[in-house]
Amino acid sequence: MVPPRALAYAASMPEPFRIAREQIERHNAARRADLEADHAHLGKQLARRGLDVERLTEAAQRFEVAVPSWGVGTGGTRFARFPGPGEPRDVWEKLDDCATIHQLGRATPRVSLHIPWDEPEDPAALARFAKERGLAFDAMNSNTFQDFPDAKHSYKFGSLTHTDPAVRAQAVEHNLHVIDVGKKLGSRSITVWIGDGGNFPGQIHFRSALERYLESLRAIHAKLPKDWTLFLEHKLYEPALYSTVNNDWGTSYWCARELGERVLCLVDLGHHAPNTNIEGIVARLIHLGKLGGFHFNDSKYGDDDLDAGAIDPFQLFLIFNELVDAARSDPRFAPAYMLDQSHNATHPIESLLASAMELQRAYVQALIVDRAELAAHQQANDVLLAHRALKRAFTTDVEPILAMARLRSLGAIDPLGAFRASGYRARKAEERPAFESSRSGIV
Ligand code: LRH
Ligand code: MN
């Protein structure tokens, strides 16, 4: 299906370029023998630890994480944005790039859209377009942290928590609109992140602002379809630089508990103070039955939205260690996994491919933790051996399992290598004339 906008444009252009199946098969054929040897060798090593490499490979094949539509375009900082050639110009081209990420990595079958950035003229057509490319839609994201041309009220001083009920009503209405679009696209959840907060002591009455937040969320929750989930995303600071209404997991948890069982907490790894023990927060929210999902990324200082596992892969492993441990005792445990990154210095497709692989790696490493051994050392307060039980899994090179999972799922053994060899970037630079985007900024 050709997107409406492309119709006029497509008159002169052939079908948008896609990597051919044969290209991936040729790529894999040259690497298959080495992979099979490495996989078999790892299999022997793991068997000595009582682990079955085949079961681990099947688990890796089942691992999925959603990609953010806003992540396939070049991100920026408040200082500047350096768009690359072949940038996707609209939601259709963003889906083409998301389809390429899934074609090579086989772990990202769903896309998380942001409204109004991805407002579809024809949701049914967009759903068909996505389906044809093996994609579906994950959590929708509302946006009441920017003002848009047709908006009656400004969100300069807040949205769902604004002192003016008319502004709150506008923000609630927007979220209901996002749910409506999501229903037409087959999504089943919405993530509500708001930047509401203050830059000066005294600017905001903390308790009244939180009451207004809850009142507005109640209005959204009241219209939430019965089979939908509402994710609350907390964030320590930015854009508010002194106080933020939903600033931490505790506030988010309290609101989710007040609102009901289909309201859960979403943990964006970058939304915490430096050195926060995020795996501890994850274990807490699991314990309280309110862990709904993640925005995976990494950061050194603030909400840097860097590639997942790029700065602190051990933290990522420790988070998956908590998730795998929880899933052992509750098979229905299935938090929503999404990436939320901004790519300023790397090619967005390559970063999203690499990040999905880093999540899969952390997951498989968490699966090989000897939990009986760990529990015994914890019980015996044998601190070092307990720690080393985790480190042994984290330092196990599971790459052959990840690559075999991709091969068996008809992806590329080396997705980045295959992507670079495919000529996709050059073809998109030809197909998509650069468009001047005035905006700098994170997304
Ligand atoms: C806020 C956030 C939120 C998105 C935005 C793109 O920092 O993490 O999840 O809406 O980034
Ligand atoms: Mn986020």
Side-chain angles (χ1 to χ4, degrees):
M1 198 205 125
V2 177
R5 172 199 56 73
L7 277 174
Y9 179 73
S12 58
M13 293 292 287
E15 260 290 301
F17 172 78
R18 289 196 210 175
I19 300 174
R21 179 83 222 123
E22 299 67 45
Q23 273 183 285
I24 298 174
E25 277 160 6
R26 271 198 308 281
H27 164 92
N28 288 343
R31 294 162 178 78
R32 180 189 292 269
D34 291 349
L35 173 58
E36 279 161 357
D38 294 349
H39 191 259
H41 177 65
L42 177 60
K44 289 199 190 76
Q45 290 177 315
L46 292 175
R48 287 201 300 274
R49 289 153 66 172
L51 294 159
D52 174 351
V53 72
E54 285 306 321
R55 284 197 46 211
L56 290 164
T57 306
E58 285 150 20
Q61 283 183 267
R62 290 192 298 273
F63 181 84
E64 296 178 349
V65 56
V67 288
S69 62
W70 60 93
V72 285
T74 300
T77 70
R78 60 184 167 161
F79 300 105
R81 181 174 169 273
F82 302 95
E87 288 267 316
R89 296 165 295 177
D90 57 30
V91 65
W92 309 91
E93 294 181 346
K94 290 178 184 176
L95 290 182
D96 276 335
D97 290 354
C98 292
T100 297
I101 295 166
H102 187 48
Q103 182 188 20
L104 296 171
R106 308 310 289 154
T108 56
R110 287 184 308 285
V111 180
S112 192
L113 295 185
H114 221 298
I115 305 294
W117 295 332
D118 303 316
E119 183 83 43
E121 302 117 1
D122 176 348
L126 190 69
R128 275 197 308 281
F129 184 89
K131 195 159 188 295
E132 279 165 12
R133 285 154 181 72
L135 296 173
F137 293 104
D138 206 294
M140 304 294 291
N141 295 270
S142 58
N143 179 339
T144 60
F145 51 87
Q146 293 173 313
D147 286 344
F148 292 91
D150 51 4
K152 193 154 176 290
H153 303 288
S154 168
Y155 295 134
K156 178 172 180 176
F157 295 113
S159 61
L160 295 178
T161 76
H162 198 289
T163 51
D164 179 346
V167 180
R168 299 200 298 277
Q170 176 180 289
V172 167
E173 207 39 54
H174 166 69
N175 279 278
L176 299 183
H177 166 66
V178 173
I179 292 170
D180 191 44
V181 173
K183 279 194 306 192
K184 294 178 181 133
L185 293 173
S187 172
R188 295 268 302 283
S189 56
I190 179 170
T191 297
V192 175
W193 170 72
I194 58 171
D196 294 26
N199 284 2
F200 288 80
Q203 177 181 347
I204 298 220
H205 185 273
F206 296 146
R207 289 179 287 130
S208 335
L210 187 60
E211 281 308 326
R212 293 193 294 268
Y213 180 56
L214 205 54
E215 170 215 301
S216 296
L217 288 173
R218 280 211 174 88
I220 296 169
H221 183 245
K223 299 274 178 53
L224 191 70
K226 290 289 164 274
D227 60 349
W228 272 54
T229 303
L230 167 59
F231 296 126
L232 303 183
E233 184 177 0
H234 61 272
K235 183 173 182 178
L236 181 64
Y237 80 104
E238 189 203 49
L241 302 173
Y242 166 66
S243 71
T244 294
V245 178
N246 186 359
N247 64 323
D248 65 12
W249 73 269
T251 304
S252 214
Y253 166 70
W254 179 72
C255 293
R257 200 191 60 185
E258 289 293 305
L259 287 158
E261 65 184 29
R262 287 182 298 113
V263 184
L264 301 174
C265 302
L266 182 137
V267 178
D268 184 314
L269 274 54
H271 288 189
H272 305 87
N275 308 324
T276 297
N277 184 328
I278 299 175
E279 59 273 19
I281 291 173
V282 169
R284 189 72 77 242
L285 287 170
I286 291 170
H287 199 146
L288 296 165
K290 279 294 185 184
L291 178 73
F294 291 88
H295 278 178
F296 287 110
N297 47 53
D298 212 336
S299 45
K300 184 78 176 157
Y301 305 102
D303 185 20
D304 311 337
D305 284 339
L306 299 173
D307 291 10
I311 305 293
D312 189 349
F314 190 47
Q315 172 182 262
L316 191 60
F317 162 76
L318 292 172
I319 289 169
F320 274 92
N321 176 52
E322 294 302 328
L323 297 169
V324 165
D325 187 52
R328 289 169 74 227
S329 45
D330 174 2
R332 286 167 311 111
F333 179 71
Y337 296 161
M338 289 166 271
L339 289 164
D340 178 3
Q341 299 175 179
S342 174
H343 309 109
N344 312 341
T346 58
H347 189 281
I349 290 179
E350 296 186 356
S351 270
L352 289 167
L353 266 172
S355 301
M357 288 194 279
E358 286 315 304
L359 295 185
Q360 218 174 11
R361 186 186 318 285
Y363 170 60
V364 173
Q365 288 173 333
L367 286 175
I368 66 177
V369 171
D370 184 330
R371 296 195 178 273
E373 180 200 355
L374 175 62
H377 295 321
Q378 288 170 336
Q379 191 55 35
N381 295 306
D382 190 330
V383 177
L384 193 64
L385 291 192
H387 177 63
R388 297 195 65 70
L390 285 185
K391 268 291 182 61
R392 187 176 189 209
F394 176 64
T395 55
T396 300
D397 177 7
V398 297
E399 183 56 32
I401 289 173
L402 306 181
M404 186 61 83
R406 289 189 291 268
L407 176 65
R408 292 179 182 171
S409 302
L410 305 179
I413 289 174
D414 166 18
L416 289 174
F419 178 68
R420 296 225 164 160
S422 71
Y424 187 91
R425 289 174 69 166
R427 293 297 295 272
K428 292 303 164 187
E430 284 161 31
E431 279 176 21
R432 301 168 179 173
F435 65 111
E436 204 28 62
S437 151
S438 56
R439 63 182 170 75
S440 65
I442 296 172
V443 283

